Amino acid sequence: MKPVAYVRATTVTEAVAAHGGRPGAYYLGGGTNLVDLMKLGVETPHMLVDIARLPLGTVDELPDGGLRIGATVRNSDLAAHPAIRARYPLLSQALLAGASGQLRNAATTGGNLLQRTRCGYFQDLGKPCNKRVPGSGCGARDGVHRDHAVLGHSPHCIATHPSDMAVALAALAATVTLQGRGGERAVPVTEFYRLPVDRPDRDTVIEPSELITGVLLPADPAGLPSAYRKARDRASYAFALASVAAVLEVVDGLVRHVGLAFGGLAHVPWRAREAEAHLLGVPPTTENISRAVDAELAAAQPLRDNAFKVGLARNLATDVLSRLADRT
């Protein structure tokens, strides 16, 4: 049995110092993904820094009217929080669409953002995977890739990001706050994740020892019509084949604000900037919505077995945006 050091931190400063940026040091929150990967041998930590008792378990009002979500807030508590349900309902819907009730009771906000891909080649030590072992190749590209990426992938990796919550946060233009040995910083969710390019082993821009301390929800989209929709292989729980998070504001018959993001299509929560640009300032008619969504998905590069995802995402986005337009 491999020995693993264990530290239970009581403050953010203590946690960051204990981690120290050492290779093999991991923060442990709910553990719903990390422990699974340890059982498979994909992750082999030398040290676990337990952050479950840090004072990061609340949802707080911000002076500008937004909200701050602590990194250790449980997914089930966040989905049920009255302010989230009333002002950011798509976030609550996304959380409830992810995993099982038991997992949501254990999983945390910070851990949800950092969960690794569910690509079978990443989880199977007997298969090549550039994300797990850089330079070993991508078994999925010529293998079984029905569930894999159609946007933003590279010759080195076609894995998708699994989080539902992160897709909603991308549409809401949320920000991740980080604490490292050099101090605090904030990174927009849309810039927090990396496309695979030639370094698919790096999922995010997070630096060694940095700890996610929270998520900031801006005031601007609060209370606007919004929705999260997810297509999956089974109704009970499964990762997204494609998902859509959308926020829409229409004033005097014209789109004044739109936030649109896709899940299940890329290495990252995919903010649909091209579609948003097409919709701003025009009436949200079915024709305009379809044209905008098509413009975004024109960049798709489906593989042998997953071209269906493009049509699936198109139908989801068009329907969600059309229904939001009817509510304005």
Side-chain angles (χ1 to χ4, degrees), residues 5-306:
Y6 174 83
V7 176
R8 175 174 287 167
T10 57
T11 68
V12 170
T13 301
E14 182 181 321
V16 171
H19 187 291
R22 300 176 182 87
Y26 289 67
Y27 294 116
L28 177 66
T32 55
N33 185 211
L34 176 59
V35 174
D36 280 349
L37 294 176
M38 289 170 64
K39 292 176 182 176
L40 293 171
V42 174
E43 301 286 9
T44 55
H46 301 294
M47 169 186 281
L48 294 174
V49 180
D50 189 339
I51 60 170
R53 297 190 180 184
L54 298 187
L56 301 173
T58 58
V59 178
D60 302 306
E61 296 282 350
L62 294 173
D64 67 355
L67 291 176
R68 180 185 185 281
I69 304 166
T72 61
V73 173
R74 303 291 171 177
N75 285 181
S76 53
D77 293 334
L78 185 59
H81 195 282
I84 298 296
R85 295 182 63 183
R87 290 151 59 181
Y88 307 96
L90 80 167
L91 178 54
S92 180
Q93 294 164 12
L95 287 160
L96 293 175
S100 64
Q102 292 91 336
L103 286 170
R104 291 196 296 270
N105 287 339
T108 64
T109 299
N112 190 307
L113 292 174
L114 292 178
Q115 60 183 307
R116 307 300 304 274
T117 181
R118 263 57 177 185
C119 174
Y121 295 86
F122 173 73
Q123 296 182 333
D124 186 343
L125 299 184
K127 299 290 192 302
C129 174
N130 287 319
K131 180 178 286 295
R132 177 169 37 77
V133 183
S136 62
C138 175
R141 175 163 285 278
D142 293 321
V144 179
H145 55 236
R146 172 181 177 270
D147 297 341
H148 289 67
V150 296
L151 287 167
H153 55 76
S154 83
H156 302 283
C157 184
I158 58 172
T160 55
H161 182 72
S163 171
D164 295 288
M165 183 183 77
V167 182
L169 294 178
L172 289 168
T175 299
V176 182
T177 58
L178 303 164
Q179 175 74 48
R181 287 178 292 174
E184 296 178 328
R185 65 177 178 133
V187 182
V189 168
T190 51
E191 298 174 19
F192 182 69
Y193 295 102
R194 296 180 69 260
L195 289 175
V197 199
D198 61 350
R199 287 293 309 274
D201 55 309
R202 293 194 62 199
D203 291 340
T204 71
V205 299
I206 199 166
E207 298 292 339
S209 90
E210 279 190 321
L211 171 68
I212 293 177
T213 54
V215 172
L216 306 179
L217 294 177
D220 290 347
L224 294 178
S226 69
Y228 181 79
R229 185 86 59 81
K230 175 178 179 179
R232 49 190 167 182
D233 279 328
R234 58 183 180 185
S236 55
Y237 64 91
F239 295 98
L241 293 169
S243 66
V244 171
V247 184
L248 187 70
E249 181 183 26
V250 178
V251 177
D252 296 331
L254 304 177
V255 174
R256 186 164 75 174
H257 174 89
V258 57
L260 178 67
F262 289 105
L265 303 186
H267 210 73
V268 302
W270 188 271
R271 181 73 184 253
R273 302 287 189 188
E274 185 72 21
E276 292 174 0
H278 276 72
L279 282 172
L280 283 173
V282 304
T285 61
T286 301
E287 292 75 16
N288 285 337
I289 289 172
S290 297
R291 189 178 301 116
V293 173
D294 284 344
E296 184 70 40
L297 295 174
Q301 295 181 304
L303 303 165
R304 184 193 62 222
D305 298 330
N306 65 2

